[in-house]
Amino acid sequence: MEKRTFLKTSLLLGVAAATSSFLESCKNAAKSATSGTVAPTLPPPKLRRTTPFELPKLTYDTAALEPHIDKMTMEIHHGRHHQAYVNNLNDAVKNTVYADYELDDIVARVTTSDADKKIRNNAGGHWNHTFFWQIMTPPAGGGGAPGGQLATAINAQFGSFDKLKEDFNNAAKGVFGSGWAWLCVGKDKGLFVSTTPNQDNPLMLTITKQVGTPILGLDVWEHAYYLKYQNKRPDYVTAFWNVINWKEVELRYEKALFG
Ligand code: MN3
């Protein structure tokens, strides 16, 4: 190679290398700019959390939902899975903009960025399970049908309670892999059934396809039913209706309607 050609080639290669490292640094800058960003439509929350997240206690015994949801599943689901979401969330929020946010504020603001991934999964996991334990109750006082304004709204929107059950069951059975089925109150105060993958939920403003306030939800991860139902998810979905705490669901409906 002639000296001149060599110099020219070296120069071009140098420019190329410099350009590529410039592009790389732009990409990295863009990445770090999106990490921990908050949804632009929401102002920073005013309430600040001063203590770590904790596993909430169940208000009923782990065997209390039997025969519909077995004791061992409840022990592992609450004591190990939910505890892990809590521990991982406490770890994930350290040194981020979410470090002292309340759970609802994190869930509303968390983004799809890679940097938010661990927070998204574990804040969702903590929120979803805390909610799930509350909307269930032992079968002696659970199940049946909703009353009050919720019953009226269900009949008006779905035609009947049975039709809502059918829609919800189909949604729950249709989740591919791990996720949740929901009954929500939308922005227009109407009810809708939806699903989310993994630990996402309808309150994640920048993530969910249909934003709403969940009033009923069912965990269809295999860890929620596999010990008792194995691959028969439909049987678990059917059994769930026996342990729904309709009083709690009705309260959540009214709060979402007027709140
Ligand atoms: Mn679960």
Side-chain angles (χ1 to χ4, degrees):
M1 191 185 289
E2 272 181 35
K3 195 178 174 189
R4 179 177 292 193
T5 315
F6 172 76
L7 282 173
K8 203 175 164 186
T9 310
S10 306
L11 190 64
L12 284 173
L13 284 173
V15 169
T19 308
S20 123
S21 92
F22 173 71
L23 286 175
E24 207 51 45
S25 66
C26 284
K27 266 194 227 159
N28 289 336
K31 253 189 204 165
S32 66
T34 54
S35 66
T37 49
V38 296
T41 49
L42 292 170
K46 290 197 177 72
L47 283 173
R48 295 290 183 165
R49 187 174 47 84
T50 54
T51 53
F53 292 109
E54 282 180 8
L55 181 69
K57 286 197 168 65
L58 293 173
T59 57
Y60 41 80
D61 190 78
T62 48
L65 304 182
E66 290 204 0
H68 309 290
I69 300 181
D70 62 288
K71 180 179 166 68
M72 189 180 280
T73 294
M74 284 299 292
E75 280 175 1
I76 296 172
H77 201 179
H78 174 260
R80 299 195 210 164
H81 288 278
H82 191 172
Q83 182 71 65
Y85 295 121
V86 170
N87 296 347
N88 291 335
L89 178 60
N90 281 323
D91 186 50
V93 295
K94 277 180 195 159
N95 305 316
T96 72
V97 293
Y98 306 108
D100 58 357
Y101 283 21
E102 295 290 348
L103 185 59
D104 283 354
D105 290 321
I106 297 175
V107 166
R109 289 163 176 78
V110 76
T111 73
T112 55
S113 74
D114 284 351
D116 277 7
K117 197 172 176 185
K118 189 172 173 185
I119 298 174
R120 169 185 178 179
N121 289 338
N122 292 288
H126 183 26
W127 195 101
N128 295 347
H129 288 86
T130 301
F131 170 86
F132 189 47
W133 313 135
Q134 290 174 5
I135 55 98
M136 292 194 292
T137 195
Q149 297 184 73
L150 177 58
T152 310
I154 288 171
N155 287 333
Q157 253 187 281
F158 294 89
S160 66
F161 177 52
D162 282 344
K163 182 64 171 64
L164 162 71
K165 278 171 85 169
E166 188 187 327
D167 288 3
F168 186 95
N169 288 353
N170 286 339
K173 287 185 264 183
V175 173
F176 184 75
S178 301
W180 291 73
W182 306 99
L183 174 65
C184 298
V185 179
K187 284 181 190 161
D188 61 358
K189 305 297 182 188
L191 293 166
F192 68 88
V193 168
S194 71
T195 64
T196 54
N198 307 311
Q199 294 297 354
D200 288 354
N201 82 35
L203 292 165
M204 293 179 171
L205 298 178
T206 63
I207 292 174
T208 194
K209 282 183 191 152
Q210 199 172 2
V211 173
T213 304
I215 60 169
L216 182 69
L218 179 59
D219 186 345
V220 293
W221 283 57
E222 284 185 348
H223 69 222
Y225 63 87
Y226 211 84
L227 289 179
K228 182 174 173 68
Y229 296 96
Q230 292 84 46
N231 60 328
K232 292 172 283 187
R233 187 195 286 180
D235 291 357
Y236 160 71
V237 171
T238 305
F240 169 63
W241 295 92
N242 295 301
V243 292
I244 294 177
N245 182 352
W246 284 114
K247 284 284 161 258
E248 175 69 23
V249 178
E250 285 166 26
L251 278 175
R252 286 174 177 269
Y253 175 65
E254 282 156 30
K255 203 174 155 199
L257 211 53
F258 301 111

